[in-house]
Amino acid sequence: MAAARKLRLGLFICDLPVPAVVEKYGTYLDIYKAWLENSLNATDRATTIEFRLDGYNFYKGQLPSMEEYDGDDPFDGVIVTGSAASAYEDEKWIRLLVDHLSMIIKQAPHIPIIGICFGHQIVARSMGGRCVRNEKGWEIGTTPVQLTEAGKQVFGADLSTLDIQQMHRDHIPTLPPNMELLASSPIAPVQGMISRHPSGGIHILTVQGHPEFSPDIVSKIIDAREASGVLDAETVKEARIKAAKRDDGVGLIGKACWQVLAPADSVV
């Protein structure tokens, strides 16, 4: 049997989960590691890939050095997490994150990038797009998103829709330059996007939803935001029903992310 391909992934951490989530599931480093492991195990490549996930707390000003991209032990891929912050805020750490992503997109295009929710929005800014508050309101819980032809190709789904957990009020109103649309919903028109290499391979993949969130994690976030007054009673009622529904986070979406991070046809 051939040796497993060893990957080093960088996790750009943009927040700390609510206390109830941390108590049961840990930090975003723990949550993303579990999601990546479960998604890899759902493929036929679980025995051929070993990965290390190194976290960088961008929201605390912790940035990787350039050696992480071109040194002796560089990243094989980067993932940008979600956050309760708004991607359009003029915070120092957010500006640094946007600038850092812009830099690696241009200077290290061989490194694939995955953006999740806030990370999806930050990638949009880094690519010349915008993030704004959504006048249509919150999108919470498992939501069907309409796939484009590109979306069907990326997710390998013989379906017209994909189901993904959501937890956002901000969104990308229009597709940034040089990106392809993967999916949309009535509330958020840009639910996912990709950027391709000239060869056709995928350089960047982002989704507005949270494939790493389980129904219980979403439920605990709903509890916290209800208690703080961020969500009203009607929104909470609908959100709880939707959060309990099945989603494609580990299956179709997780598999697609792994295909970007470690293309099956790449040389080990």
Side-chain angles (χ1 to χ4, degrees):
M1 180 181 293
R5 181 180 179 186
K6 297 182 184 297
L7 300 178
R8 182 188 178 211
L9 305 177
L11 186 68
F12 292 2
I13 302 170
C14 303
D15 204 356
L16 185 69
V18 298
V21 171
V22 173
E23 182 179 356
K24 187 171 182 179
Y25 297 100
T27 66
Y28 278 127
L29 185 61
D30 301 303
I31 291 168
Y32 274 83
K33 184 178 180 182
W35 169 61
L36 288 167
E37 287 176 342
N38 291 336
S39 296
L40 185 58
N41 288 334
T43 73
D44 59 1
R45 305 171 64 200
T47 60
T48 65
I49 294 175
E50 294 178 3
F51 74 94
R52 183 174 105 219
L53 188 64
D54 293 337
Y56 294 81
N57 292 314
F58 265 79
Y59 73 106
K60 292 184 177 180
Q62 182 186 18
L63 280 66
S65 68
M66 277 307 298
E67 285 193 0
E68 311 295 356
Y69 303 101
D70 57 14
D72 293 335
D73 185 24
F75 291 139
D76 294 293
V78 163
I79 303 171
V80 189
T81 76
S83 176
S86 291
Y88 52 77
E89 290 178 344
D90 189 28
E91 297 284 344
K92 180 179 179 181
W93 74 268
I94 293 177
R95 294 197 305 270
L96 287 172
L97 176 57
V98 171
D99 290 345
H100 190 85
L101 271 178
S102 296
M103 179 272 294
I104 63 174
I105 287 170
K106 295 173 183 175
Q107 298 185 24
H110 59 288
I111 296 177
I113 297 170
I114 304 292
I116 305 295
C117 195
F118 175 86
H120 160 79
Q121 298 161 2
I122 289 292
V123 168
R125 286 193 57 188
S126 300
M127 296 292 290
R130 295 185 303 132
C131 173
V132 299
R133 188 170 178 83
N134 195 331
E135 295 180 356
K136 294 182 179 180
W138 286 89
E139 198 167 39
I140 304 176
T142 299
T143 302
V145 298
Q146 189 75 30
L147 294 174
T148 64
E149 288 304 313
K152 293 174 185 178
Q153 178 188 28
V154 168
F155 296 111
D158 187 22
L159 300 168
S160 60
T161 61
L162 196 68
D163 296 319
I164 185 169
Q165 291 281 1
Q166 307 271 3
M167 179 59 70
H168 69 101
R169 177 68 192 269
D170 303 330
H171 78 130
I172 300 169
T174 56
L175 197 66
N178 303 312
M179 302 295 286
E180 293 179 50
L181 183 67
L182 297 182
S184 61
S185 74
I187 290 180
V190 183
Q191 283 283 348
M193 57 187 185
I194 56 170
S195 174
R196 297 183 189 270
H197 293 294
S199 64
I202 297 175
H203 176 200
I204 301 169
L205 166 63
T206 72
V207 291
Q208 176 59 77
H210 283 278
E212 82 285 10
F213 279 0
S214 67
D216 190 49
I217 288 176
V218 176
S219 179
K220 284 176 168 36
I221 297 173
I222 293 171
D223 290 344
R225 294 189 172 177
E226 179 185 29
S228 66
V230 171
L231 300 177
D232 60 42
E234 183 177 349
T235 300
V236 167
K237 181 179 179 181
E238 180 183 2
R240 291 196 192 286
I241 294 171
K242 293 173 65 178
K245 295 181 179 180
R246 66 159 296 279
D247 63 80
D248 296 309
V250 168
L252 297 175
I253 303 170
K255 289 179 183 179
C257 289
W258 269 115
Q259 178 59 22
V260 173
L261 293 169
D265 55 356
S266 63
V267 178
V268 177

